Amino acid sequence: MVNRQPIDAYAHDIDEEKQSSVSGGSAASTDKRYSALFSDYEDPNALRRLASRIKDHTLHHLDDYLEQAESSLKRNGCHVHFADTDDDARDAVLSILREREITRLTKSKSMASEEIHLNDHLIKNDIEVLESDLGEFIIQLDGDVPSHIVRPIIHKNRREIARTFQREGIADDYNDDPEAITRRARVHLREKYMEAEAVITGGNFISAESGRVVLVTNEGNSRFGMAPSRVHIALVGIEKLVPTDRDLAVFLNLLGRSATGQQLTVYTEFISGPKDDSQPSGPEEMHVVLMNNGRTDVLASNCREILRCIRCSACQNVCPVYRQASGHAYRSPYGGPVGAVLSPILFGDRFPELADLPKASSLCGACNEVCPVDIPLPDLLLRLRDKAKREHIPQPGDLPMAPFATLATSPAIWRTAMTMSKAMNHLPIEMAPVRPLQDWLGQRTLPEWRGGDFRKWLKKRQSD
Amino acid sequence: MPATTQRPAGKKVLLMATCLCDAFYDDVARATVEVLQHLGVEVGFPENQTCCGQPAFNSGDWKSSRKVARHTAEVFAGDLPVIVPSGSCAAMHFHGNRLQFEECPDGAVESLANRTWELIDFIVNGLGIREWPGRFEKPTRLAFHRSCHLRGTGSGEAITSLLSTIANAEVVPFGQAEQCCGFGGTFSVTFPHISGRMGSLKLDHILEQHPDLLVSGDMSCLMHLTGLAQVQGRPVPHKHAVQVLRDTLQA
């Protein structure tokens, strides 16, 4: 087919096994989310709305909260670095490492680091980086990229992973038992932890009030990473702030349930700075890199609601398009509905190249229904479609709508066309006047054209 | 939501038949008129109506869709409730239009938004009809496909509860009901593969329950689903909810 939408083409060509891993895994997460939220809360939607209001308030006063967070973090003994661009963020991390002659580090899962391709940059500069999240570790071994915000290897099955471990010498033989896989990874990773001089993490939340950096994991790998390391670097997007520690109660209750159907993830860490007299273990230095990388542009746009996102992936899991196409189809670390909104505007100069993403939705609204911070994702997708049209960025398969509008605002012609088009009933499918319509009709039959029949019936009924 | 609606109800309404019923599903528009009249409602039909403009809106051509929306708002001017036998076109009036007119508010368009009802929502929550005195001749399993535009509105609940009161009717649940059927208007044209896969999945879940009748409040979803089913050699009997109301009344 000519002019295929890239995401539709990707879904068409996707490996069947991969597609079934993705759709099975995400459907299971959607179910777990539902039972976790609805068994614990009489009205989870009230909680979602509250979370959305807290985030909106924070974003509205982001300048103030950033200042407050900076001073709280400093009070806790952290070094604070502001990074305006992706370059700035990469440079900030690299220079912290270089100044301390650090060449080995472990890293726990961080979408912010994926966003700026931090690993590639560090490795290019002779730093040994080891991903310690099991999923990310496997991604690293395979030279792959994550396809899901929370479950980076949702597109892989255990047989593939067992083959990878055997190939890469993590294990001597093939064993696809999930427990064996985890055990083998653990043995391998634990040795590496002990050799690392620094640890890089993301940050799920930062309380502006207390300067606590909150990390949410299921494997405890960030904790392990911190134990032997001299230096901890947290790379955090500026939208991750919440005003107070109390607000964390709302978000932590929502995040685990929305992401994985857990009341709380297995580990929730509140990090209040490097080690000192009051907390005798942990890294000697803690650096927080607060990254903008396009976020203030998003804040100034008519899609600012997307900055409420807490990266839970509930929208991705429930999205029927994502389930068919997988996260890789979205050509960005962020897949699914959140990616279709965020990627084209976060990487502003890439808008023309990514403007097809907002079209990859039937606008079904399931994403908004599950979003823990009530982001009106379908509305944002629509606003971006409007933006693409206004900026004259044509999309593959676009249908001409101006003639339709002319027809739909000329009632007399409309009525005539309705009746005349009955001729279509006698047209063979292959003669359908529009190419995309032929593809449509290849898969479906069209009902009989009965244009004008209702109006005729109604006139008769009214005159009787 | 519906219990506290500010929308006008009453026994005099305007019908927006939708372009789909105008072109293909005349019997759905007929059933709408017959059922409303049966309930003592006077139904007006402005001749100059065309389409709500949603195809252009969803395509991102808001200049074109605003033009159509203004036309529709003008055609339905006044203060009467506007009844639409489609959750999708109704939502265009009270949701889509508000989005596309955010930057350029239009009084007539806003008035239309405030007066628009999805048909069954109007019957149940506007007219207060909680039970339907119809009957199927023999026990009938209904699979109700809640179209996506009914999310967050009172219509889904209204349709399910009203259908359940019909004698001999059983509304049967099916798997992954929250998932979209894959139609999405122009989406089905520009994303033919994904749209087809979504539709087939929906059909799998529905047919697993062996329903006697597939029912929806949106003919667009049914057009897509039954068209796919036909080509796949597993045709499924289907009706709009209002056809069920009329037909069970006559039986």
Side-chain angles (χ1 to χ4, degrees):
Chain A
M1 185 181 146
V2 278
N3 280 338
R4 295 222 18 200
Q5 277 282 352
I7 291 187
D8 198 55
Y10 194 96
H12 182 267
D13 300 336
I14 197 172
D15 173 68
E16 215 171 288
E17 209 175 344
K18 175 173 170 175
Q19 192 274 327
S20 100
S21 299
V22 169
S23 58
S26 39
S29 292
T30 297
D31 291 346
K32 279 195 225 158
R33 170 205 170 266
Y34 188 86
S35 32
L37 264 176
F38 283 79
S39 63
D40 290 344
Y41 294 99
E42 201 179 310
D43 183 9
N45 290 325
L47 196 61
R48 297 193 310 124
R49 284 192 295 271
L50 175 61
S52 119
R53 285 211 305 277
I54 296 171
K55 274 285 180 183
D56 271 357
H57 164 85
T58 317
L59 292 167
H60 194 71
H61 302 280
L62 192 57
D63 46 350
D64 296 334
Y65 284 119
L66 275 169
E67 262 180 46
Q68 195 191 356
E70 183 188 14
S71 64
S72 302
L73 286 163
K74 283 184 174 162
R75 197 175 58 230
N76 293 346
C78 297
H79 302 267
V80 180
H81 312 256
F82 283 99
D84 192 35
T85 65
D86 51 348
D87 270 335
D88 295 345
R90 287 186 294 259
D91 288 350
V93 173
L94 188 61
S95 51
I96 295 166
L97 297 170
R98 283 218 167 127
E99 279 162 24
R100 286 152 190 85
E101 295 176 346
I102 290 171
T103 55
R104 276 178 190 180
L105 56 86
T106 63
K107 203 169 141 282
S108 74
K109 198 171 147 22
S110 150
M111 289 309 290
S113 75
E114 295 292 339
E115 192 183 304
I116 62 168
H117 307 288
L118 183 61
N119 286 8
D120 293 346
H121 185 70
L122 296 180
I123 291 165
K124 217 185 304 162
N125 285 282
D126 303 318
I127 311 261
E128 199 181 300
V129 181
L130 179 79
E131 290 283 356
S132 62
D133 172 87
L134 178 57
E136 295 284 353
F137 172 60
I138 292 161
I139 291 281
Q140 196 178 23
L141 289 175
D142 281 345
D144 200 351
V145 287
S147 76
H148 187 275
I149 292 170
V150 170
R151 301 165 64 187
I153 52 166
I154 193 171
H155 59 288
K156 294 182 194 287
N157 59 42
R158 59 200 167 109
R159 293 178 296 281
E160 276 179 87
I161 298 165
R163 284 196 294 271
T164 297
F165 274 25
Q166 195 182 10
R167 187 189 68 224
E168 297 296 320
I170 307 297
D172 297 332
D173 59 343
Y174 174 94
N175 188 337
D176 63 12
D177 173 47
E179 255 182 60
I181 289 173
T182 317
R183 202 167 47 241
R184 289 167 164 196
R186 185 195 305 183
V187 170
H188 177 83
L189 286 170
R190 290 221 167 155
E191 248 174 67
K192 298 282 182 184
Y193 281 126
M194 301 315 291
E195 296 166 1
E197 301 154 290
V199 60
I200 296 180
T201 70
N204 292 89
F205 306 98
I206 296 179
S207 158
E209 172 193 45
S210 67
R212 288 197 170 97
V213 178
V214 182
L215 286 180
V216 169
T217 75
N218 268 322
E219 296 167 22
N221 53 312
S222 57
R223 218 175 246 224
F224 257 105
M226 263 180 258
S229 297
R230 283 190 283 136
V231 177
H232 171 201
I233 304 171
L235 175 67
V236 189
I238 53 173
E239 84 285 17
K240 295 286 178 161
L241 297 188
V242 295
T244 67
D245 285 13
R246 219 171 73 121
D247 299 315
L248 292 169
V250 175
F251 291 103
L252 290 171
N253 272 312
L254 278 166
L255 181 54
R257 288 180 175 87
S258 303
T260 47
Q262 293 168 287
Q263 293 179 317
L264 266 185
T265 46
V266 178
Y267 298 89
T268 306
E269 295 166 76
F270 300 84
I271 306 166
S272 325
K275 82 173 171 192
D276 62 12
D277 298 341
S278 66
Q279 40 186 35
S281 65
E284 291 152 25
E285 279 180 48
M286 179 170 173
H287 297 262
V288 177
V289 179
L290 289 167
M291 181 173 80
N292 180 1
N293 194 29
R295 284 158 175 76
T296 45
D297 293 335
V298 176
L299 193 59
S301 77
N302 64 355
C303 292
R304 64 186 64 86
E305 295 96 326
I306 199 68
L307 291 178
R308 293 180 200 156
C309 177
I310 57 171
R311 308 286 189 265
C312 74
S313 77
C315 65
Q316 199 169 5
N317 290 327
V318 82
C319 177
V321 174
Y322 164 80
R323 286 183 186 180
Q324 291 300 327
S326 91
H328 287 159
Y330 293 78
R331 314 194 299 280
S332 143
Y334 304 110
V338 60
V341 172
L342 195 55
S343 307
I345 50 177
L346 191 59
F347 316 118
D349 51 339
R350 291 180 64 198
F351 183 74
E353 173 201 337
L354 296 173
D356 64 297
L357 300 185
K359 292 253 171 159
S361 166
S362 63
L363 301 170
C364 79
C367 46
N368 170 241
E369 216 167 53
V370 299
C371 176
V373 283
D374 200 20
I375 300 170
L377 286 150
D379 292 358
L380 305 188
L381 293 168
L382 281 159
R383 285 188 184 132
L384 291 177
R385 294 179 187 188
D386 168 53
K387 175 177 157 78
K389 175 75 184 169
R390 279 187 286 107
E391 294 177 9
H392 307 291
I393 304 163
Q395 300 301 308
D398 263 356
L399 303 171
M401 286 298 160
F404 155 77
T406 304
L407 184 65
T409 50
S410 319
I413 302 174
W414 176 273
R415 285 194 293 270
T416 314
M418 274 289 158
T419 321
M420 300 291 283
S421 301
K422 271 195 175 156
M424 284 211 342
N425 290 330
H426 310 293
L427 274 181
I429 286 176
E430 53 276 16
M431 281 180 65
V434 191
R435 176 67 209 252
L437 204 59
Q438 292 174 25
D439 295 308
W440 200 90
L441 287 167
Q443 294 181 64
R444 304 167 188 79
T445 55
L446 202 61
E448 187 197 350
W449 187 273
R450 299 174 60 89
D453 285 10
F454 167 68
R455 293 173 189 247
K456 217 191 299 171
W457 173 86
L458 188 66
K459 272 219 176 85
K460 189 166 179 302
R461 187 179 175 93
Q462 283 162 346
S463 63
D464 282 349
Chain B
M1 190 169 308
T4 58
T5 181
Q6 301 298 307
R7 289 168 295 177
K11 295 281 189 177
K12 200 171 170 190
V13 304
L14 297 176
L15 168 64
M16 165 136 182
T18 78
C19 61
L20 213 58
C21 291
D22 210 356
F24 297 107
Y25 297 109
D26 55 317
D27 189 58
V28 174
R30 265 190 230 190
T32 304
V33 172
E34 288 167 337
V35 163
L36 287 173
Q37 289 180 346
H38 169 81
L39 295 169
V41 177
E42 189 185 320
V43 183
F45 181 81
E47 273 286 312
N48 284 343
Q49 61 180 280
T50 55
C51 170
C52 65
Q54 194 173 179
F57 175 66
N58 285 357
S59 302
D61 186 352
W62 288 12
K63 198 176 148 201
S64 294
S65 55
R66 277 193 285 254
K67 191 172 149 187
V68 181
R70 282 194 198 98
H71 169 78
T72 302
E74 195 183 309
V75 168
F76 288 92
D79 50 13
L80 291 178
V82 174
I83 311 301
V84 192
S86 155
S88 175
C89 311
M92 183 64 204
H93 286 183
F94 54 66
H95 187 85
N97 277 347
R98 283 187 171 134
L99 197 63
Q100 65 171 338
F101 282 92
E102 240 168 10
E103 311 280 314
C104 48
D106 182 298
V109 172
E110 182 58 23
S111 159
L112 180 61
N114 291 327
R115 288 181 287 122
T116 296
W117 293 83
E118 181 277 321
L119 170 63
I120 314 292
D121 187 17
F122 176 74
I123 293 174
V124 172
N125 297 306
L127 298 176
I129 309 290
R130 310 277 169 202
E131 281 181 23
W132 194 251
R135 73 175 292 117
F136 284 101
E137 278 180 32
K138 51 179 191 200
T140 303
R141 292 164 63 79
L142 306 176
F144 168 61
H145 167 61
R146 186 196 70 162
S147 58
C148 292
H149 277 114
L150 302 191
R151 284 177 211 273
T153 75
S155 294
E157 166 89 43
I159 299 177
T160 322
S161 65
L162 198 59
L163 289 176
S164 306
T165 64
I166 297 174
N168 270 336
E170 184 196 354
V171 180
V172 292
F174 52 85
Q176 299 195 2
E178 88 290 348
Q179 287 279 302
C180 172
C181 71
F183 177 61
T186 51
F187 172 78
S188 68
V189 179
T190 45
F191 289 75
H193 175 75
I194 294 177
S195 164
R197 288 289 304 250
M198 286 164 66
S200 299
L201 268 176
K202 177 63 67 185
L203 284 170
D204 291 345
H205 284 294
I206 290 171
L207 296 177
E208 202 176 53
Q209 300 304 321
H210 305 290
D212 298 303
L213 198 58
L214 169 60
V215 183
S216 179
D218 272 281
M219 289 318 291
S220 49
C221 306
L222 287 182
M223 176 173 77
H224 161 78
L225 284 174
T226 56
L228 281 170
Q230 189 75 37
V231 168
Q232 294 170 5
R234 43 176 183 174
V236 49
H238 58 280
K239 276 181 185 174
H240 188 284
V242 76
Q243 290 173 300
V244 175
L245 297 185
R246 177 196 59 189
D247 297 348
T248 55
L249 210 55
Q250 286 168 350

